[in-house]
């Protein structure tokens, strides 16, 4: 009798908020260099060995950098569970088949929204994909900083577009959630605050709209010594000297 096949392995690489590698829901410990190597390949997908070595060990000689790369690859392949985290050839490194990366899912989703692909106004789960933490916030490697800023700007653009589409399709509650997610990333941008106020007004919540406007106005004054734009102020349907009770 043939033995039953092994159950499929589900490998998840979390790069948003913190680094975490999971196999079937259980954490897989990795040393620091192995984490950096896996994160780099996870973000790039397929990359030349020499580029990996030069990027991750920029201050080392070429010989030492290549040696560090080989050691890190050994750490990734030495787990007793036989994880295929990285597929290696003589010239390149590719993320193993079936390894899911949350940052890649976020980037694909955000790019599809920005490019206008799909009826995204009908899928409330998109907010859960877009409303995540920053990319590896405690890492200060140059390549991480650049990827983090690109992904952050992409998320903001996607959330702004999503909030506008949800409002246009008469879904103000979800439009408000998208606007608030954008505000959590960058609280001083006016656009998502305008979207939040519009969503409150669409739901008939004038008090909440006024309260949100006044909170943003105070934030701008405190942080920048500035005022909301005249266009935003004209959207408020009562005199500005009115103040909602706190």
């Amino acid at each position: 009798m043939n033995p039953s096949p092994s159950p499929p392995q589900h490998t998840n690489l979390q790069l948003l908020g913190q680094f975490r590698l999971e196999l079937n829901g259980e954490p897989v410990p990795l040393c620091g260099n192995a984490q950096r190597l896996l994160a780099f390949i996870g973000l790039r997908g397929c990359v030349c060995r020499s580029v990996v070595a030069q990027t991750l060990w920029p201050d080392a000689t070429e010989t030492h950098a290549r040696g560090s790369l080989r050691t890190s690859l050994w750490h990734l392949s030495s787990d007793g569970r036989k994880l295929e985290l990285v597929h290696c050839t003589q010239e390149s490194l590719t993320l193993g088949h079936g390894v899911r990366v949350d940052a890649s899912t976020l980037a694909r989703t955000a790019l599809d929204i920005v490019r206008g692909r799909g009826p995204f106004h009908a899928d409330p789960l998109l907010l859960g994909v877009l409303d995540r933490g920053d990319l590896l916030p405690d890492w200060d490697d140059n390549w991480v900083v650049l990827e983090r800023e690109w992904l952050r700007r992409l998320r903001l653009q996607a959330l702004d577009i999503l909030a506008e589409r949800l409002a246009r399709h008469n879904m103000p509650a979800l439009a408000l959630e998208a606007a608030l997610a954008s505000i959590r990333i960058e609280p001083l941008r006016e656009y998502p605050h305008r979207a939040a106020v519009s969503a409150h007004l669409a739901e008939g919540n004038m008090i909440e709209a006024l309260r949100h406007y006044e909170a943003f106005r105070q934030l701008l004054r405190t942080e920048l010594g500035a005022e909301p734009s005249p266009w935003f102020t004209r959207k408020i349907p009562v005199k500005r000297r009115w103040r909602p009770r706190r």
Side-chain angles (χ1 to χ4, degrees):
M1 183 176 180
N2 294 329
S4 58
S6 301
Q9 293 184 337
H10 301 287
T11 308
N12 296 312
L13 177 58
Q14 176 185 333
L15 302 179
L16 300 175
Q18 63 177 347
F19 182 97
R20 182 179 174 88
L21 178 66
E22 291 184 349
L23 173 64
N24 297 328
E26 295 296 325
V28 178
L30 292 175
C31 67
N33 278 344
Q35 288 185 12
R36 293 168 68 243
L37 174 59
L38 189 59
F40 186 78
I41 299 173
L43 291 171
R44 301 295 177 89
C46 180
V47 65
C48 177
R49 281 176 176 263
S50 60
V51 171
V52 177
Q54 293 168 8
T55 303
L56 297 187
W57 294 276
D59 298 325
T61 64
E62 181 179 354
T63 300
H64 186 270
R66 287 183 176 273
S68 297
L69 175 58
R70 287 192 297 271
T71 300
S72 297
L73 286 170
W74 178 84
H75 281 295
L76 289 179
S77 62
S78 63
D79 190 280
R81 287 163 284 198
K82 297 182 179 180
L83 298 177
E84 188 183 1
L85 298 173
V86 177
H87 176 68
C88 305
T89 68
Q90 188 173 358
E91 297 296 331
S92 65
L93 302 173
T94 308
L95 194 66
H97 178 70
V99 180
R100 293 175 292 188
V101 186
D102 59 353
S104 298
T105 301
L106 169 59
R108 285 194 304 270
T109 302
L111 283 171
D112 283 345
I113 292 174
V114 170
R115 292 166 179 168
R117 297 175 179 170
F120 290 108
H121 61 275
D123 188 357
L125 295 179
L126 286 176
L127 289 174
V129 175
L130 295 173
D131 191 14
R132 301 284 182 88
D134 277 337
L135 176 72
L136 300 170
D138 296 329
W139 294 22
D140 58 2
D141 307 66
N142 288 336
W143 59 272
V144 176
V145 173
L146 292 174
E147 293 281 353
R148 182 189 302 140
E149 184 60 22
W150 174 79
L151 194 57
R152 180 173 174 272
R153 291 298 170 189
L154 180 61
R155 288 171 64 202
L156 288 171
Q157 189 177 6
L159 285 166
D160 289 348
I161 292 172
L162 186 60
E164 181 181 346
R165 290 182 186 172
L166 290 167
R168 195 163 59 239
H169 286 83
N170 197 29
M171 303 173 75
L174 289 177
L176 177 60
E177 290 301 317
L180 293 178
S182 181
I183 290 169
R184 283 192 288 271
I185 299 172
E186 179 48 77
L188 292 176
R189 295 171 63 246
E190 181 176 298
Y191 187 91
H193 289 279
R194 296 203 310 250
V197 167
S198 295
H200 283 307
L201 292 175
E203 291 188 308
N205 294 330
M206 183 178 295
I207 298 300
E208 289 301 323
L210 292 167
R211 184 175 286 115
H212 190 108
Y213 171 82
E214 289 296 337
F216 175 62
R217 180 166 169 260
Q218 186 59 46
L219 178 66
L220 279 186
R221 282 183 168 183
T222 301
E223 297 294 330
L224 302 177
E227 292 283 339
S229 69
W231 188 92
F232 190 12
T233 301
R234 286 195 296 270
K235 287 177 66 70
I236 306 303
V238 296
K239 294 181 180 180
R240 285 179 54 191
R241 64 172 176 267
W242 186 89
R243 296 290 184 271
R245 294 181 180 178
R246 297 186 180 277

